[in-house]
Every structure is written in C-alpha cells, then in structure tokens.
Amino acid sequence: NSEFIMTQGLYLSRRRFLTTATTAIAAPHVISSSALGKDGVAPPSERTTIGMLGVGNRGSSSIRALSPLPEAQIVAIADPRAERRELARKDVDKTYAKRANKASYKACRVYNDFRDLLARDDIDAVWGCAPDHWHGVLYNRVLEAGKDMYGEKPLTRWIAEGFTVCDAVRRYGRVFQTGTQQRSCPQFREACELAINGYLGKIHTVRVGVPGGKVCELEPPCDPPKGFDYDLWTGPAPMIPFDNKRCEWLAMYMISHYCAGFITNWGVHHLDIAGWGCPEIFEKRFEVEGQGILPPGGMSDTWIAWRVEFHYPSGLKLSFTDKREPSFAAFGKDTPRTDLGGIEANESGCLFEGDQGWVRVDRAGIWANPESLLSVRFKPSDMRLHASPACDNDRGGYVSHSADFLRSIRTRQDPVSPVESGQAASTLGNVADIALRLGRKLTWDPTAKRFLNDDDANNMLMRPLRGPWTI
C-alpha cells in the first residue's frame, strides 16, 4: 500500500467537513493508506466522489493518477465518444474491483452529455479534461453546479474567459486546482524557493523553453465514427466539417479554433514556474514583442517556432521560446531546420538568472551555478512555497497534484495551483500569441485585465461562441 500525507492524521470528506466545524490544520505527516479502511479503501463517508469530463489522453492519465489515492472514487464519466467513455469505465471498474479485492465493480456510470453528470447531487468534485476550447464554458458550468474543480491547463482558450472562471471560483466558494502539476514536483519548488528568497541575488532574466508546434496536413472531410457526438465535441467552437485528424492528438492542439497551440498549451507549464519563482512576472505590467513562424499550409495555424520577450519596468526580462530540439516529433517532416529563420531558442524548462547565480529546472532535473545552490538549507525566515503531499508511485507530480486537490477539498484552502495562477500563466502564453499575430509591441496590464491603447489586441481577448453555448 502507498503512503500519503494527511492533515491531523485524518481524511475528512467534504460532506463531513460541511457538517462539522473541525478546520484546524496541523503540520502534515505520513501514515499508511491501510489505516483508512479495509484493503486501503477509505470508508464511504471519507471519500471524495468524482465525475470525469473527458477521457482522452489526459483524462486517461487522470484516472491512473487517482487510482493510488484511496480517498478518491470516480463515480461518473462523460465524454462525447462512446468508445472512449466505455473503455474508461472498464478501467475504473477494474481498478476498484482490485482495490476492494472483489471479482467485479459496477458503480461508475457513463454519459454522453456532461450536463447529465453535473445534475447529480452525489458528486463532490469534477475532473475537467476536455479540449481547451471547452474550458471556459465547461468550468463555469461546473462551478455554478456547486462542484469543486480540477481543471486541466491552460485555464481557458481565451483570456477573457479565464477572468470569468476566476470570478466564479470565488463567488461560489469552490476549490479549484489548475492542472499545472509541475508545482507538485519537488525540484520545481526548490528552484522557485531559491529564486524567490534571494539566493541567486537580484533576478534580471528568466528564460523559458517549451516544445514547438507541428505542421498538420489537410484531411478530407468524412462522417464521424459511430458513437461520436461531433456536434457536442465542437461545442462553442466554429463548426468545421469532420475529418479523421482534427479531433485527435496532436492536431487539435495546433488548430486555433480549439487551442492557441503549444505557445500556450505547453508554454503554460514553464511560464507558471517562472511566475511562481518570480511573482513580478504575473503581477506587474509588461511590454511584449517577438517573432514567430506559422505553418506554410495544412489545417494547423498555430506557431511552429517563436521568440518572445516580456520587459518589466524594474528591468526584469522574460525570454520565451520554443526549445527547438531537432529530434522533437512535433515538427512536421516538411518543416526543414533552415526554415526556422535563425530564431535563438532557450533550453527546455525554466531558468532563473540572478547577479549571484542561476538555477534551471525541467522535468528531467535541476541544475545550478554555483552547484552549491543545490545544497542550500533554507532558513526559518525564508518564504517556503506550498508543498503537495508526497506520494509513492508518482507520475511526474500528477499523483501528488491530485492528492493536493483532494486535501484542499477537505480543508477548503487553496491548492498549490489556484485558479488565479492558472489564469496568469495561461494569459502569458495567450498574450504572446496575440503580439505575434499583430506583429507589434503590446503593453499588458494585469490589473486592468487588458492591453493598453490597443483596440485590435483587446478585441482578441475573446471570440464569439457558437450557440447555444455561453459563459
């Protein structure tokens, strides 16, 4: 059995929390999951019941991340593809049957329409793994329904939608965990604590590098497969004739109707770390400009390569590029290296540069100069960032990130990636996209929630939604 960090050595469900007044929080400690109930299964009164919205690549990963956590129980799945939701239901049934040491498990229901799932009053929290173009509408509906929310990144496809979701989280008093799971990996927290506590000296430059885009060739239109509700999948996006590629990974991430491309969808991860370790990046006004390369044709219309710089009044610079590794599979075969225009690329990850040293962090590890920075013992007076529960059998922080969300449901405190951080990190990627598309320097004011003196840019903060969907 795995071990999990508890609060006061006790799991407390939302239902129990709402009917009791025990909100004191002690320092976390570790106990065995077997103490929760027979065979590591938490009693029903201490479980968080979960509905899954979307069970494609990311949704399937979410199910695997939740499977080691005995306080979570998936009771419903909604997906417009019948084949996917049935496969996911079978995975859930198999996991819980094994957990309970039973021959079978039949307590997870499936739905085509997410509204049927949200109508259930026995669901505590919703896991949102729908495509990016659905995030604004979907997350707002979940919050209105009184559910806590784990929402995959980026927070929303359009900047203005994100502010609406932030307002809804606070208005309805819900817990919201953004799916920027790198915050639940210890090396990312260590790098940010070194930066934020002055161990690098004054930070003057932050460099972020993420995977670049892909050329996706046009596909001939055809009928959707049996059991695929393409109209519902399209939702608030423009209705385009179906083909066999546009709804699949990676193509749907490269089509601007559904996603801003990897400049935001992948960029949000390391841009989030940049703002976690250097809060000025999220909080202050900045100028942004850059250059980029779009696909020469096909169905994809998001950035293949880019270099964008953000300049802050204090002199801080944020450099954001694709990482441009020749072996990265996202580049299409018809995009030769010479077409990248000599745009200088950053290394993968997030690098904080100060006048006394630097630290770079990526999913592969953490590096610093001088190396002694990695042996720093933080002082009691240092700012320590939110630490997610330490879980065995973790998958790049995803299990810990999930456990942190469940802990926040019990305590009613913000998780490690609250909705505002998700909005700020997503906005950076979307602002970069807008600056590149307009081809000029822009000034973004996070307090005013708009660009200064640029109507064209502000008109790109939102786009009309296809009816009947609204936010």
Side-chain angles (χ1 to χ4, degrees):
N1 290 328
S2 300
E3 293 185 335
F4 307 92
I5 290 182
M6 303 298 177
T7 299
Q8 302 180 47
L10 175 69
Y11 275 103
L12 189 63
S13 73
R14 189 172 79 181
R15 295 189 199 93
R16 178 170 294 185
F17 178 89
L18 293 174
T19 56
T20 65
T22 56
T23 59
I25 301 174
H29 59 283
V30 180
I31 68 170
S32 170
S33 62
S34 62
L36 299 174
K38 186 177 180 181
D39 299 317
V41 180
S45 62
E46 296 177 3
R47 295 178 204 162
T48 297
T49 54
I50 293 170
M52 302 291 302
L53 301 184
V55 284
N57 290 326
R58 198 59 175 166
S60 298
S61 296
S62 297
I63 291 173
R64 291 192 294 272
L66 285 167
S67 63
L69 304 176
E71 73 274 34
Q73 182 172 0
I74 299 170
V75 298
I77 292 169
D79 193 293
R81 306 192 200 202
E83 182 179 13
R84 283 191 176 181
R85 62 180 180 257
E86 284 299 329
L87 285 173
R89 181 187 60 78
K90 289 179 181 178
D91 285 344
V92 169
D93 287 349
K94 182 178 179 181
T95 295
Y96 291 154
K98 182 178 180 181
R99 176 188 290 183
N101 197 26
K102 294 182 178 180
S104 64
Y105 170 90
K106 302 290 182 183
C108 181
R109 295 186 62 182
V110 295
Y111 304 92
N112 177 64
D113 194 318
F114 70 91
R115 290 168 292 189
D116 295 326
L117 183 152
L118 294 185
R120 288 179 51 170
D121 61 7
D122 63 334
I123 292 177
D124 296 323
V126 167
W127 226 267
C129 298
D132 294 6
H133 69 278
W134 259 112
H135 289 186
V137 172
L138 190 64
Y139 295 175
N140 211 53
R141 295 289 182 91
V142 171
L143 298 166
E144 289 175 345
K147 317 292 188 187
D148 293 325
M149 180 87 214
Y150 184 108
E152 276 300 342
K153 51 76 207 168
L155 185 67
T156 54
R157 169 62 185 91
W158 306 99
I159 293 173
E161 290 181 312
F163 290 119
T164 301
V165 172
C166 289
D167 290 344
V169 169
R170 301 309 170 189
R171 183 185 319 121
Y172 296 111
R174 306 271 46 96
V175 171
F176 192 105
Q177 175 84 296
T178 308
T180 44
Q181 78 278 1
Q182 289 181 165
R183 288 196 179 203
S184 293
C185 294
Q187 74 263 30
F188 286 97
R189 186 175 69 255
E190 179 182 3
C192 290
E193 288 179 338
L194 288 170
I196 206 168
N197 287 299
Y199 287 96
L200 309 178
K202 180 177 174 55
I203 303 295
H204 55 77
T205 305
V206 180
R207 302 183 187 277
V208 168
V210 301
K214 177 180 173 61
V215 175
C216 300
E217 302 297 335
L218 288 170
E219 286 280 310
C222 60
D223 292 330
K226 183 180 179 180
F228 185 4
D229 188 340
Y230 179 57
D231 181 76
L232 184 59
W233 186 93
T234 300
M239 175 55 74
I240 308 295
F242 179 84
D243 63 65
N244 285 322
K245 183 178 289 185
R246 72 175 46 250
C247 302
E248 306 302 325
W249 194 88
L250 280 162
M252 70 176 182
Y253 290 150
M254 304 298 145
I255 301 171
S256 63
H257 291 316
Y258 315 129
C259 177
F262 274 2
I263 197 169
T264 300
N265 181 278
W266 228 111
V268 66
H269 283 297
H270 291 316
L271 291 171
D272 177 61
I273 296 304
W276 202 26
C278 192
E280 181 180 353
I281 287 173
F282 284 172
E283 298 169 359
K284 301 298 183 180
R285 180 187 302 183
F286 58 78
E287 292 183 338
V288 55
E289 62 181 335
Q291 56 181 318
I293 299 170
L294 289 170
M299 70 170 68
S300 50
D301 61 348
T302 57
W303 301 100
I304 295 174
W306 65 87
R307 180 177 182 84
V308 177
E309 290 191 351
F310 304 73
H311 293 273
Y312 293 79
S314 69
L316 175 69
K317 181 180 78 172
L318 169 62
S319 170
F320 175 40
T321 77
D322 65 290
K323 66 180 183 179
R324 201 110 18 94
E325 290 184 1
S327 63
F328 183 60
F331 282 106
K333 62 182 179 181
D334 298 324
T335 309
R337 316 309 312 165
T338 54
D339 284 355
L340 298 178
I343 298 176
E344 181 184 354
N346 296 327
E347 290 184 274
S348 177
C350 180
L351 183 145
F352 299 97
E353 293 183 26
D355 55 18
Q356 297 179 26
W358 57 259
V359 61
R360 182 171 78 88
V361 64
D362 197 8
R363 296 185 182 183
I366 182 171
W367 305 264
N369 184 24
E371 291 186 5
S372 58
L373 287 166
L374 301 181
S375 301
V376 164
R377 288 192 173 187
F378 292 101
K379 302 184 291 289
S381 59
D382 284 338
M383 177 185 297
R384 305 307 302 272
L385 299 173
H386 183 121
S388 297
C391 298
D392 293 341
N393 304 315
D394 204 349
R395 298 178 177 89
Y398 208 177
V399 177
S400 294
H401 208 59
S402 303
D404 182 71
F405 173 57
L406 297 172
R407 180 173 65 182
S408 291
I409 290 175
R410 298 190 299 274
T411 65
R412 310 312 296 169
Q413 294 185 349
D414 275 344
V416 67
S417 292
V419 66
E420 288 84 6
S421 72
Q423 166 64 12
S426 301
T427 294
L428 290 175
N430 281 324
V431 163
D433 174 58
I434 292 171
L436 292 178
R437 291 187 183 277
L438 291 176
R440 60 175 179 263
K441 182 186 295 185
L442 301 174
T443 300
W444 173 255
D445 187 335
T447 302
K449 303 177 182 179
R450 59 189 291 107
F451 295 97
L452 298 185
N453 305 315
D454 199 308
D455 291 340
D456 292 337
N458 286 320
N459 288 336
M460 298 171 73
L461 297 178
M462 187 61 194
R463 65 99 195 269
L465 301 181
R466 186 176 75 103
W469 305 107
T470 60
I471 184 168

